[in-house]
Each structure stands twice: as C-alpha cells, then as structure tokens.
Amino acid sequence: MLTEFSHVFAFVILAIIFIAGGLVTSKLLRPKNPNKLKLASYECGEDAIGGSWVKFNIRYYVVALIFILFDVEILFLFPWALVFKPMGWLAVAEMFTFIGILVVGYIYVWAKGDLDWARPKPFVARLQDVVQVNTLKVTVGSEELESVG
Amino acid sequence: MLVTSVDTLFNWARLSSLWQMSFGLACCAIEMMSTAASHYDMMRFGVIPRPSPRQSDVIIISGTVTLKMATRIKMLYEQMADPKYVISMGNCSNCGGPYWEYGYHVLRGVDRIIPVDVYVPGCPPRPEALLEGLMRLQEKVREQGKAVDLEV
C-alpha cells in the first residue's frame, strides 16, 4: 500500500538511479588517459605548492555563524517591508522587537570579544597563581641562593 | 554498421558541445571575447567558456605564446579532459608572427609544444575567422575515428 511518504521513497530511488546511471555510463564511455600532469591539482597552470588540505582558523566558524544570523535578519526584513504599509504600526513594533532581541545578542557577542580577530591569549592558571608561593632563603657557604618551595 | 552509428553519435555529441577553456593571451583574446559576446554569439555553436581545464574540450591559444607562458600552456593542455582539441588563433601562436625573427622571448608556434587541430590566420583574426575555425574543428570532430576514403 502506498502511503504519502512512499512517494518520497520513490523519488529517492529515482534520484539514485539517475545519478548512478549517469556516472556509470560516463565511466564506461569516456576515454581514460591519465598522466602525472593531468592528475596534479589544478593551479592555473602553475605547480601547486603544498597540499590542498589547509587548516582554517576556527574563528572563521564563529564569524560565519554570526554573519548567517544577521543575514537571516535581513531576509526577514524584505517581506516585512512589503506588508509594512497595510499592517501599520503593529508591523513597526513587531520588527523593532525582533531587531531588539538580535541587538541584545549582538551586544553580547561584542562584549564577549568574538568580533575581535586578534584576541588576547586566554588566561591559563599556573601553579604559582593558585598556590601561595613562599620564598626560602637557603645559604650555601657564603652565597645566598633563592629557591622556590 | 552499429559501431559507425555509435561513432557518429559520439562525434555529434562532442562537436555540439565544444566547451572552451577561457584562456586569453594577447590582443587575439579581445577578438575571442567579442566572439563570445552577444553580437557573434559563439554559444550558438555550443561553445561555452569554462573556467577550468577539467571541464573543457577545446583550448583556443589566442595570442603570443611567450616562452614563460609556454610551460603553463603545456600544463593546462595536459590537465584538460580527453578528448581535447586545440585551436591556434592568430599569427603569433601559429608561427611566432611578427616575433618570428627577433622575438627572443616568443615561442615560434604553439604546435612546438601541443598538437594543434585548426590554425586560424590573422593578426588578429576577426571574430568571423575564429567562428570559421570553430566550424572547421566541428567538421574535423564529425569525421574523427572514421575510415577515410582516399581518392586515387
């Protein structure tokens, strides 16, 4: 018995057949003459330097996430601008509430320092910061050595 | 008979979608660009400029091949997917052109590094000439892999 969701399943099967069929057919038909230059990574005709597995700074993630947040906000502003006139002051109040919530988030991000690219090094507590350090004076012969104990 | 029909089909498919590697070298590249623009409309022949050699079938050497560029051209040609075709556009890439005698920095013809299918003469060739070259290449692709009738 076909339920509504089985149509989705049919689409999934069709999509797999369609893509796999294209890939297999082209695999069978295409000429295959690989050589060292052809298999090299494309770098506009230059010799590629280094691998393509480059590490990206993790800070891109935070910035991208914040960007998407405000991008979506702009997205919501467009339909709002269309219904702005018939809805009147209610629309203004609604949108300002919405933006207000986002502004709070913006201020939070700003205060946390996530918008600064060059952030100060995080404070890592060392033993000396936690434990009270006593300075012992040890005398060896005539010389006075300072040691931490 | 069947093999011939399949060959005809493949050749037709290849000549109808000669994707071109967008690659300009000198003043001929300006003519190539205007060939691709709306007035001459290269796209009606199925020639679409592609940004990568992996996706392209034909490379149009449009201009002066300096020795510095020659190694890059060789590399780009090698990185194109088979089957691949070459159009040499303009006198510079055909034979060195005005740099033939005293050009200390110019390769005397791009056919010294890669095999050329069609030569388009001119300095620079008009867009019509490049279109003619493209159509000649299409005729060549149409006949490829077939036995040639030699008229004795």
Side-chain angles (χ1 to χ4, degrees):
Chain A
M1 190 184 115
L2 277 177
T3 58
E4 282 294 305
F5 201 67
S6 62
H7 296 298
V8 177
F9 186 62
F11 266 105
V12 167
I13 289 178
L14 270 177
I16 289 172
I17 289 174
F18 188 73
I19 292 168
L23 286 174
V24 169
T25 316
S26 67
K27 174 108 186 166
L28 291 174
L29 294 182
R30 68 183 173 217
K32 191 167 187 288
N33 320 312
N35 62 38
K36 208 179 162 194
L37 275 177
K38 191 189 255 183
L39 295 177
S41 37
Y42 169 59
E43 197 61 59
C44 305
E46 300 287 333
D47 289 326
I49 298 170
S52 51
W53 288 93
V54 185
K55 287 179 196 163
F56 282 99
N57 199 322
I58 191 73
R59 282 175 213 161
Y60 281 112
Y61 167 72
V62 179
V63 173
L65 211 65
I66 296 166
F67 168 74
I68 285 176
L69 206 70
F70 289 96
D71 211 30
V72 172
E73 178 198 341
I74 297 294
L75 216 67
F76 283 135
L77 278 176
F78 280 111
W80 171 77
L82 275 179
V83 298
F84 171 64
K85 239 178 190 170
M87 275 186 78
W89 285 105
L90 178 68
V92 179
E94 289 246 1
M95 192 38 83
F96 270 86
T97 317
F98 176 59
I99 292 175
I101 294 168
L102 279 172
V103 162
V104 171
Y106 180 66
I107 292 168
Y108 175 75
V109 165
W110 198 347
K112 285 282 276 186
D114 280 331
L115 294 180
D116 304 328
W117 192 254
R119 295 174 67 178
K121 282 194 172 170
F123 173 75
V124 180
R126 290 166 302 171
L127 187 67
Q128 289 94 315
D129 302 319
V130 185
V131 184
Q132 194 66 41
V133 178
N134 298 316
T135 312
L136 299 176
K137 278 185 180 160
V138 183
T139 320
V140 180
S142 60
E143 276 179 83
E144 196 173 77
L145 299 176
E146 220 171 55
S147 75
V148 177
Chain B
M1 182 64 196
L2 181 70
V3 174
T4 321
S5 305
V6 169
D7 270 347
T8 311
L9 178 69
F10 281 11
N11 288 346
W12 170 78
R14 277 167 188 163
L15 72 89
S16 309
S17 66
L18 282 172
W19 285 6
Q20 171 227 344
M21 195 180 145
S22 41
F23 176 75
L25 280 178
C27 27
C28 282
I30 304 295
E31 299 295 314
M32 187 183 71
M33 283 179 242
S34 76
T35 315
S38 56
H39 191 86
Y40 295 99
D41 194 16
M42 196 157 67
M43 218 174 269
R44 66 198 151 121
F45 297 104
V47 183
I48 306 175
R50 302 303 300 170
S52 162
R54 312 288 194 201
Q55 302 167 350
S56 41
D57 306 296
V58 56
I59 182 169
I60 300 177
I61 310 293
S62 54
T64 317
V65 182
T66 56
L67 296 177
K68 203 173 182 178
M69 204 61 201
T71 53
R72 274 81 172 176
I73 289 175
K74 178 73 179 161
M75 180 99 167
L76 288 175
Y77 174 75
E78 290 295 336
Q79 287 187 338
M80 281 165 67
D82 284 83
K84 45 195 172 187
Y85 309 99
V86 179
I87 291 179
S88 169
M89 180 187 180
N91 289 346
C92 287
S93 67
N94 286 347
C95 63
Y99 306 100
W100 167 257
E101 199 165 2
Y102 298 114
Y104 58 92
H105 62 299
V106 174
L107 190 74
R108 268 76 163 155
V110 77
D111 47 7
R112 296 191 181 205
I113 50 169
I114 56 177
V116 176
D117 290 292
V118 174
Y119 296 88
V120 180
C123 188
R126 284 190 57 82
E128 293 95 333
L130 181 58
L131 288 179
E132 167 86 22
L134 279 169
M135 285 155 77
R136 291 285 176 95
L137 179 62
Q138 287 185 328
E139 290 312 309
K140 194 176 176 179
V141 175
R142 200 191 296 278
E143 296 304 319
Q144 76 178 2
K146 289 184 186 171
V148 183
D149 276 335
L150 288 174
E151 289 180 19
V152 184

